[in-house]
PDB file of all heavy atoms in Angstrom:
ATOM      1  N   GLU A 296       0.835  -1.227  -0.033  1.00  0.00           N
ATOM      2  CA  GLU A 296      -0.079  -0.008   0.038  1.00  0.00           C
ATOM      3  C   GLU A 296       0.789   1.307  -0.017  1.00  0.00           C
ATOM      4  O   GLU A 296       0.267   2.345  -0.031  1.00  0.00           O
ATOM      5  CB  GLU A 296      -0.858   0.103   1.237  1.00  0.00           C
ATOM      6  CG  GLU A 296      -1.612  -1.277   1.412  1.00  0.00           C
ATOM      7  CD  GLU A 296      -0.888  -2.341   2.282  1.00  0.00           C
ATOM      8  OE1 GLU A 296       0.288  -2.148   2.427  1.00  0.00           O
ATOM      9  OE2 GLU A 296      -1.631  -3.315   2.696  1.00  0.00           O
ATOM     10  N   GLY A 297       2.091   1.221   0.151  1.00  0.00           N
ATOM     11  CA  GLY A 297       2.993   2.400   0.119  1.00  0.00           C
ATOM     12  C   GLY A 297       4.494   2.081   0.402  1.00  0.00           C
ATOM     13  O   GLY A 297       4.952   1.122  -0.108  1.00  0.00           O
ATOM     14  N   CYS A 298       5.084   2.885   1.132  1.00  0.00           N
ATOM     15  CA  CYS A 298       6.601   2.590   1.369  1.00  0.00           C
ATOM     16  C   CYS A 298       6.892   3.031   2.776  1.00  0.00           C
ATOM     17  O   CYS A 298       6.091   3.602   3.474  1.00  0.00           O
ATOM     18  CB  CYS A 298       7.378   3.329   0.358  1.00  0.00           C
ATOM     19  SG  CYS A 298       7.539   5.138   0.512  1.00  0.00           S
ATOM     20  N   GLY A 299       8.080   2.689   3.219  1.00  0.00           N
ATOM     21  CA  GLY A 299       8.489   2.938   4.552  1.00  0.00           C
ATOM     22  C   GLY A 299       8.638   4.368   4.951  1.00  0.00           C
ATOM     23  O   GLY A 299       9.048   5.254   4.130  1.00  0.00           O
ATOM     24  N   ILE A 300       8.586   4.790   6.246  1.00  0.00           N
ATOM     25  CA  ILE A 300       8.728   6.002   6.655  1.00  0.00           C
ATOM     26  C   ILE A 300      10.298   6.320   6.431  1.00  0.00           C
ATOM     27  O   ILE A 300      11.105   5.518   6.515  1.00  0.00           O
ATOM     28  CB  ILE A 300       8.281   6.337   8.120  1.00  0.00           C
ATOM     29  CG1 ILE A 300       9.007   5.409   9.049  1.00  0.00           C
ATOM     30  CG2 ILE A 300       6.752   6.191   8.207  1.00  0.00           C
ATOM     31  CD1 ILE A 300       8.800   5.810  10.509  1.00  0.00           C
ATOM     32  N   CYS A 301      10.521   7.732   6.309  1.00  0.00           N
ATOM     33  CA  CYS A 301      11.974   8.201   6.067  1.00  0.00           C
ATOM     34  C   CYS A 301      12.269   9.262   7.118  1.00  0.00           C
ATOM     35  O   CYS A 301      13.297   9.984   6.836  1.00  0.00           O
ATOM     36  CB  CYS A 301      12.051   8.673   4.672  1.00  0.00           C
ATOM     37  SG  CYS A 301      11.769   7.515   3.359  1.00  0.00           S
ATOM     38  N   SER A 302      11.561   9.241   8.088  1.00  0.00           N
ATOM     39  CA  SER A 302      11.628  10.450   9.148  1.00  0.00           C
ATOM     40  C   SER A 302      12.447  10.051  10.323  1.00  0.00           C
ATOM     41  O   SER A 302      12.746  10.958  11.190  1.00  0.00           O
ATOM     42  CB  SER A 302      10.206  10.923   9.515  1.00  0.00           C
ATOM     43  OG  SER A 302       9.471   9.930  10.043  1.00  0.00           O
ATOM     44  N   GLU A 303      12.791   8.872  10.574  1.00  0.00           N
ATOM     45  CA  GLU A 303      13.499   8.408  11.693  1.00  0.00           C
ATOM     46  C   GLU A 303      15.057   8.393  11.275  1.00  0.00           C
ATOM     47  O   GLU A 303      15.439   8.794  10.202  1.00  0.00           O
ATOM     48  CB  GLU A 303      13.142   7.044  12.114  1.00  0.00           C
ATOM     49  CG  GLU A 303      11.728   7.016  12.645  1.00  0.00           C
ATOM     50  CD  GLU A 303      11.231   5.528  13.223  1.00  0.00           C
ATOM     51  OE1 GLU A 303      11.989   4.658  12.910  1.00  0.00           O
ATOM     52  OE2 GLU A 303      10.216   5.622  13.873  1.00  0.00           O
ATOM     53  N   ARG A 304      15.909   8.308  12.376  1.00  0.00           N
ATOM     54  CA  ARG A 304      17.310   8.331  12.278  1.00  0.00           C
ATOM     55  C   ARG A 304      17.754   7.497  11.023  1.00  0.00           C
ATOM     56  O   ARG A 304      17.520   6.334  10.820  1.00  0.00           O
ATOM     57  CB  ARG A 304      18.048   7.828  13.555  1.00  0.00           C
ATOM     58  CG  ARG A 304      19.490   7.957  13.515  1.00  0.00           C
ATOM     59  CD  ARG A 304      20.028   7.463  14.702  1.00  0.00           C
ATOM     60  NE  ARG A 304      21.580   7.309  14.558  1.00  0.00           N
ATOM     61  CZ  ARG A 304      22.283   6.206  14.953  1.00  0.00           C
ATOM     62  NH1 ARG A 304      21.829   5.171  15.566  1.00  0.00           N
ATOM     63  NH2 ARG A 304      23.488   6.354  14.820  1.00  0.00           N
ATOM     64  N   GLY A 305      18.561   8.150  10.190  1.00  0.00           N
ATOM     65  CA  GLY A 305      19.034   7.398   8.993  1.00  0.00           C
ATOM     66  C   GLY A 305      18.164   7.510   7.786  1.00  0.00           C
ATOM     67  O   GLY A 305      18.574   7.092   6.758  1.00  0.00           O
ATOM     68  N   GLY A 306      16.891   7.916   7.971  1.00  0.00           N
ATOM     69  CA  GLY A 306      15.893   7.962   6.928  1.00  0.00           C
ATOM     70  C   GLY A 306      16.247   8.875   5.890  1.00  0.00           C
ATOM     71  O   GLY A 306      16.851   9.998   6.158  1.00  0.00           O
ATOM     72  N   ASP A 307      15.944   8.750   4.590  1.00  0.00           N
ATOM     73  CA  ASP A 307      16.292   9.573   3.496  1.00  0.00           C
ATOM     74  C   ASP A 307      15.265   9.470   2.371  1.00  0.00           C
ATOM     75  O   ASP A 307      15.303   8.425   1.626  1.00  0.00           O
ATOM     76  CB  ASP A 307      17.695   9.377   3.014  1.00  0.00           C
ATOM     77  CG  ASP A 307      18.144  10.266   1.846  1.00  0.00           C
ATOM     78  OD1 ASP A 307      17.361  10.711   1.273  1.00  0.00           O
ATOM     79  OD2 ASP A 307      19.310  10.243   1.694  1.00  0.00           O
ATOM     80  N   PRO A 308      14.248  10.417   2.259  1.00  0.00           N
ATOM     81  CA  PRO A 308      13.377  10.142   1.176  1.00  0.00           C
ATOM     82  C   PRO A 308      13.820  10.220  -0.360  1.00  0.00           C
ATOM     83  O   PRO A 308      13.252   9.468  -1.107  1.00  0.00           O
ATOM     84  CB  PRO A 308      12.241  11.343   1.522  1.00  0.00           C
ATOM     85  CG  PRO A 308      13.147  12.357   2.236  1.00  0.00           C
ATOM     86  CD  PRO A 308      14.147  11.654   2.975  1.00  0.00           C
ATOM     87  N   GLY A 309      14.918  11.015  -0.476  1.00  0.00           N
ATOM     88  CA  GLY A 309      15.518  10.913  -1.796  1.00  0.00           C
ATOM     89  C   GLY A 309      16.099   9.538  -2.103  1.00  0.00           C
ATOM     90  O   GLY A 309      15.916   9.009  -3.258  1.00  0.00           O
ATOM     91  N   ALA A 310      16.624   8.926  -1.105  1.00  0.00           N
ATOM     92  CA  ALA A 310      17.280   7.555  -1.247  1.00  0.00           C
ATOM     93  C   ALA A 310      16.103   6.655  -1.599  1.00  0.00           C
ATOM     94  O   ALA A 310      16.256   5.635  -2.394  1.00  0.00           O
ATOM     95  CB  ALA A 310      17.971   7.215  -0.183  1.00  0.00           C
ATOM     96  N   MET A 311      14.934   6.814  -0.850  1.00  0.00           N
ATOM     97  CA  MET A 311      13.847   5.938  -1.087  1.00  0.00           C
ATOM     98  C   MET A 311      13.290   6.105  -2.424  1.00  0.00           C
ATOM     99  O   MET A 311      12.898   5.009  -3.057  1.00  0.00           O
ATOM    100  CB  MET A 311      12.764   6.312   0.077  1.00  0.00           C
ATOM    101  CG  MET A 311      11.439   5.419  -0.118  1.00  0.00           C
ATOM    102  SD  MET A 311      11.619   3.862   0.266  1.00  0.00           S
ATOM    103  CE  MET A 311      11.487   3.841   2.084  1.00  0.00           C
ATOM    104  N   TYR A 312      13.097   7.262  -2.835  1.00  0.00           N
ATOM    105  CA  TYR A 312      12.736   7.345  -4.395  1.00  0.00           C
ATOM    106  C   TYR A 312      13.620   6.500  -5.339  1.00  0.00           C
ATOM    107  O   TYR A 312      13.052   5.753  -6.131  1.00  0.00           O
ATOM    108  CB  TYR A 312      12.873   8.905  -4.716  1.00  0.00           C
ATOM    109  CG  TYR A 312      12.537   9.074  -6.237  1.00  0.00           C
ATOM    110  CD1 TYR A 312      11.352   9.171  -6.625  1.00  0.00           C
ATOM    111  CD2 TYR A 312      13.726   9.293  -7.103  1.00  0.00           C
ATOM    112  CE1 TYR A 312      11.072   9.524  -8.051  1.00  0.00           C
ATOM    113  CE2 TYR A 312      13.321   9.621  -8.365  1.00  0.00           C
ATOM    114  CZ  TYR A 312      12.167   9.623  -8.936  1.00  0.00           C
ATOM    115  OH  TYR A 312      11.933   9.831 -10.219  1.00  0.00           O
ATOM    116  N   TYR A 313      14.936   6.631  -5.185  1.00  0.00           N
ATOM    117  CA  TYR A 313      15.754   5.849  -6.085  1.00  0.00           C
ATOM    118  C   TYR A 313      15.655   4.340  -5.834  1.00  0.00           C
ATOM    119  O   TYR A 313      15.815   3.440  -6.685  1.00  0.00           O
ATOM    120  CB  TYR A 313      17.166   6.519  -6.035  1.00  0.00           C
ATOM    121  CG  TYR A 313      17.346   7.625  -6.756  1.00  0.00           C
ATOM    122  CD1 TYR A 313      17.406   8.811  -6.050  1.00  0.00           C
ATOM    123  CD2 TYR A 313      17.197   7.881  -8.137  1.00  0.00           C
ATOM    124  CE1 TYR A 313      17.448  10.113  -6.677  1.00  0.00           C
ATOM    125  CE2 TYR A 313      17.315   8.964  -8.803  1.00  0.00           C
ATOM    126  CZ  TYR A 313      17.421  10.183  -8.064  1.00  0.00           C
ATOM    127  OH  TYR A 313      17.489  11.387  -8.869  1.00  0.00           O
ATOM    128  N   SER A 314      15.497   4.019  -4.600  1.00  0.00           N
ATOM    129  CA  SER A 314      15.349   2.553  -4.177  1.00  0.00           C
ATOM    130  C   SER A 314      14.127   1.963  -4.991  1.00  0.00           C
ATOM    131  O   SER A 314      14.243   0.863  -5.465  1.00  0.00           O
ATOM    132  CB  SER A 314      15.313   2.334  -2.675  1.00  0.00           C
ATOM    133  OG  SER A 314      16.444   2.602  -2.088  1.00  0.00           O
ATOM    134  N   LEU A 315      12.967   2.679  -4.873  1.00  0.00           N
ATOM    135  CA  LEU A 315      11.791   2.170  -5.639  1.00  0.00           C
ATOM    136  C   LEU A 315      12.001   2.141  -7.067  1.00  0.00           C
ATOM    137  O   LEU A 315      11.417   1.104  -7.799  1.00  0.00           O
ATOM    138  CB  LEU A 315      10.594   3.113  -5.266  1.00  0.00           C
ATOM    139  CG  LEU A 315      10.169   3.039  -3.817  1.00  0.00           C
ATOM    140  CD1 LEU A 315       8.802   3.854  -3.669  1.00  0.00           C
ATOM    141  CD2 LEU A 315      10.124   1.641  -3.176  1.00  0.00           C
ATOM    142  N   GLN A 316      12.764   3.133  -7.670  1.00  0.00           N
ATOM    143  CA  GLN A 316      13.052   3.027  -9.021  1.00  0.00           C
ATOM    144  C   GLN A 316      14.039   1.783  -9.314  1.00  0.00           C
ATOM    145  O   GLN A 316      13.805   1.027 -10.395  1.00  0.00           O
ATOM    146  CB  GLN A 316      13.819   4.285  -9.527  1.00  0.00           C
ATOM    147  CG  GLN A 316      12.864   5.536  -9.304  1.00  0.00           C
ATOM    148  CD  GLN A 316      11.446   5.414  -9.862  1.00  0.00           C
ATOM    149  OE1 GLN A 316      11.364   5.075 -11.044  1.00  0.00           O
ATOM    150  NE2 GLN A 316      10.544   5.794  -9.083  1.00  0.00           N
ATOM    151  N   LYS A 317      14.911   1.504  -8.422  1.00  0.00           N
ATOM    152  CA  LYS A 317      15.751   0.276  -8.706  1.00  0.00           C
ATOM    153  C   LYS A 317      14.855  -1.011  -8.759  1.00  0.00           C
ATOM    154  O   LYS A 317      15.090  -1.883  -9.501  1.00  0.00           O
ATOM    155  CB  LYS A 317      16.847   0.250  -7.500  1.00  0.00           C
ATOM    156  CG  LYS A 317      17.646  -0.985  -7.651  1.00  0.00           C
ATOM    157  CD  LYS A 317      18.550  -1.075  -6.304  1.00  0.00           C
ATOM    158  CE  LYS A 317      19.652  -0.154  -6.425  1.00  0.00           C
ATOM    159  NZ  LYS A 317      20.734  -0.371  -5.251  1.00  0.00           N
ATOM    160  N   ILE A 318      13.961  -1.069  -7.754  1.00  0.00           N
ATOM    161  CA  ILE A 318      12.996  -2.276  -7.731  1.00  0.00           C
ATOM    162  C   ILE A 318      12.307  -2.326  -9.033  1.00  0.00           C
ATOM    163  O   ILE A 318      12.158  -3.411  -9.537  1.00  0.00           O
ATOM    164  CB  ILE A 318      12.153  -2.146  -6.390  1.00  0.00           C
ATOM    165  CG1 ILE A 318      12.946  -2.276  -5.162  1.00  0.00           C
ATOM    166  CG2 ILE A 318      11.026  -3.333  -6.654  1.00  0.00           C
ATOM    167  CD1 ILE A 318      12.096  -2.083  -3.945  1.00  0.00           C
ATOM    168  N   ARG A 319      11.756  -1.154  -9.562  1.00  0.00           N
ATOM    169  CA  ARG A 319      11.117  -1.184 -10.789  1.00  0.00           C
ATOM    170  C   ARG A 319      11.835  -1.800 -11.962  1.00  0.00           C
ATOM    171  O   ARG A 319      11.473  -2.580 -12.709  1.00  0.00           O
ATOM    172  CB  ARG A 319      10.587   0.324 -11.017  1.00  0.00           C
ATOM    173  CG  ARG A 319       9.863   0.449 -12.368  1.00  0.00           C
ATOM    174  CD  ARG A 319       9.901   1.884 -12.985  1.00  0.00           C
ATOM    175  NE  ARG A 319       9.038   2.713 -11.935  1.00  0.00           N
ATOM    176  CZ  ARG A 319       7.887   2.939 -12.027  1.00  0.00           C
ATOM    177  NH1 ARG A 319       7.102   2.314 -12.934  1.00  0.00           N
ATOM    178  NH2 ARG A 319       7.244   3.797 -11.247  1.00  0.00           N
ATOM    179  N   GLU A 320      13.214  -1.293 -11.925  1.00  0.00           N
ATOM    180  CA  GLU A 320      14.105  -1.690 -13.045  1.00  0.00           C
ATOM    181  C   GLU A 320      14.594  -3.088 -12.928  1.00  0.00           C
ATOM    182  O   GLU A 320      14.784  -3.803 -13.907  1.00  0.00           O
ATOM    183  CB  GLU A 320      15.269  -0.762 -13.043  1.00  0.00           C
ATOM    184  CG  GLU A 320      14.915   0.639 -13.443  1.00  0.00           C
ATOM    185  CD  GLU A 320      15.955   1.668 -13.123  1.00  0.00           C
ATOM    186  OE1 GLU A 320      16.959   1.294 -12.758  1.00  0.00           O
ATOM    187  OE2 GLU A 320      15.753   2.952 -13.407  1.00  0.00           O
ATOM    188  N   ARG A 321      14.753  -3.673 -11.683  1.00  0.00           N
ATOM    189  CA  ARG A 321      15.435  -4.899 -11.597  1.00  0.00           C
ATOM    190  C   ARG A 321      14.619  -6.120 -11.458  1.00  0.00           C
ATOM    191  O   ARG A 321      15.003  -7.162 -11.670  1.00  0.00           O
ATOM    192  CB  ARG A 321      16.466  -4.828 -10.366  1.00  0.00           C
ATOM    193  CG  ARG A 321      17.749  -3.894 -10.541  1.00  0.00           C
ATOM    194  CD  ARG A 321      18.663  -4.291  -9.444  1.00  0.00           C
ATOM    195  NE  ARG A 321      19.861  -3.347  -9.454  1.00  0.00           N
ATOM    196  CZ  ARG A 321      20.760  -3.422  -8.540  1.00  0.00           C
ATOM    197  NH1 ARG A 321      20.833  -4.368  -7.616  1.00  0.00           N
ATOM    198  NH2 ARG A 321      21.687  -2.538  -8.493  1.00  0.00           N
ATOM    199  N   VAL A 322      13.339  -5.818 -10.959  1.00  0.00           N
ATOM    200  CA  VAL A 322      12.499  -6.952 -10.550  1.00  0.00           C
ATOM    201  C   VAL A 322      11.308  -7.164 -11.610  1.00  0.00           C
ATOM    202  O   VAL A 322      10.760  -6.223 -11.946  1.00  0.00           O
ATOM    203  CB  VAL A 322      11.928  -6.715  -9.132  1.00  0.00           C
ATOM    204  CG1 VAL A 322      10.939  -7.782  -8.656  1.00  0.00           C
ATOM    205  CG2 VAL A 322      12.937  -6.455  -8.043  1.00  0.00           C
ATOM    206  N   HIS A 323      11.120  -8.458 -11.962  1.00  0.00           N
ATOM    207  CA  HIS A 323      10.131  -8.662 -12.970  1.00  0.00           C
ATOM    208  C   HIS A 323       8.783  -8.433 -12.334  1.00  0.00           C
ATOM    209  O   HIS A 323       8.492  -8.663 -11.182  1.00  0.00           O
ATOM    210  CB  HIS A 323      10.222 -10.225 -13.324  1.00  0.00           C
ATOM    211  CG  HIS A 323       9.406 -10.526 -14.557  1.00  0.00           C
ATOM    212  ND1 HIS A 323       8.168 -10.746 -14.692  1.00  0.00           N
ATOM    213  CD2 HIS A 323       9.947 -10.531 -15.920  1.00  0.00           C
ATOM    214  CE1 HIS A 323       7.586 -11.052 -15.832  1.00  0.00           C
ATOM    215  NE2 HIS A 323       8.788 -10.875 -16.671  1.00  0.00           N
ATOM    216  N   PRO A 324       7.899  -7.915 -13.085  1.00  0.00           N
ATOM    217  CA  PRO A 324       6.470  -7.571 -12.677  1.00  0.00           C
ATOM    218  C   PRO A 324       5.836  -8.659 -12.155  1.00  0.00           C
ATOM    219  O   PRO A 324       4.852  -8.484 -11.317  1.00  0.00           O
ATOM    220  CB  PRO A 324       5.764  -6.985 -13.893  1.00  0.00           C
ATOM    221  CG  PRO A 324       6.873  -6.419 -14.838  1.00  0.00           C
ATOM    222  CD  PRO A 324       8.071  -7.359 -14.613  1.00  0.00           C
ATOM    223  N   SER A 325       6.058  -9.893 -12.458  1.00  0.00           N
ATOM    224  CA  SER A 325       5.267 -11.143 -12.034  1.00  0.00           C
ATOM    225  C   SER A 325       5.690 -11.477 -10.584  1.00  0.00           C
ATOM    226  O   SER A 325       5.095 -12.399  -9.985  1.00  0.00           O
ATOM    227  CB  SER A 325       5.502 -12.251 -12.921  1.00  0.00           C
ATOM    228  OG  SER A 325       6.785 -12.672 -13.007  1.00  0.00           O
ATOM    229  N   VAL A 326       6.863 -11.045 -10.125  1.00  0.00           N
ATOM    230  CA  VAL A 326       7.375 -11.412  -8.890  1.00  0.00           C
ATOM    231  C   VAL A 326       6.470 -10.942  -7.654  1.00  0.00           C
ATOM    232  O   VAL A 326       5.876  -9.785  -7.804  1.00  0.00           O
ATOM    233  CB  VAL A 326       8.738 -10.790  -8.637  1.00  0.00           C
ATOM    234  CG1 VAL A 326       9.303 -10.830  -7.144  1.00  0.00           C
ATOM    235  CG2 VAL A 326       9.823 -11.543  -9.450  1.00  0.00           C
ATOM    236  N   ARG A 327       6.258 -11.625  -6.776  1.00  0.00           N
ATOM    237  CA  ARG A 327       5.452 -11.334  -5.505  1.00  0.00           C
ATOM    238  C   ARG A 327       6.189 -10.686  -4.585  1.00  0.00           C
ATOM    239  O   ARG A 327       7.278 -11.155  -4.105  1.00  0.00           O
ATOM    240  CB  ARG A 327       4.632 -12.589  -5.142  1.00  0.00           C
ATOM    241  CG  ARG A 327       3.702 -13.293  -6.175  1.00  0.00           C
ATOM    242  CD  ARG A 327       2.877 -14.283  -5.677  1.00  0.00           C
ATOM    243  NE  ARG A 327       1.938 -14.711  -6.683  1.00  0.00           N
ATOM    244  CZ  ARG A 327       0.742 -14.155  -7.029  1.00  0.00           C
ATOM    245  NH1 ARG A 327       0.351 -13.156  -6.255  1.00  0.00           N
ATOM    246  NH2 ARG A 327      -0.016 -14.480  -8.029  1.00  0.00           N
ATOM    247  N   VAL A 328       5.531  -9.721  -3.951  1.00  0.00           N
ATOM    248  CA  VAL A 328       6.186  -8.821  -2.946  1.00  0.00           C
ATOM    249  C   VAL A 328       5.812  -9.358  -1.541  1.00  0.00           C
ATOM    250  O   VAL A 328       4.602  -9.236  -1.177  1.00  0.00           O
ATOM    251  CB  VAL A 328       5.906  -7.395  -3.263  1.00  0.00           C
ATOM    252  CG1 VAL A 328       6.493  -6.474  -2.154  1.00  0.00           C
ATOM    253  CG2 VAL A 328       6.399  -6.994  -4.577  1.00  0.00           C
TER     254      VAL A 328
END
């Protein structure tokens, strides 16, 4: 339904943006999450 919070120690919403793009690029759409 969403993604993890980025407001606690070490969190980084910019890094989260690129992590989700990495999942989009590397993982086949049929894979179950």
Side-chain angles (χ1 to χ4, degrees):
E296 309 87 348
C298 70
I300 61 171
C301 303
S302 54
E303 295 185 347
R304 181 179 170 227
D307 182 339
M311 178 67 83
Y312 172 80
Y313 286 105
S314 289
L315 296 188
Q316 300 312 308
K317 180 188 285 190
I318 292 172
R319 179 198 296 273
E320 293 167 4
R321 289 194 189 178
V322 180
H323 193 277
S325 66
V326 165
R327 295 191 177 274
V328 177

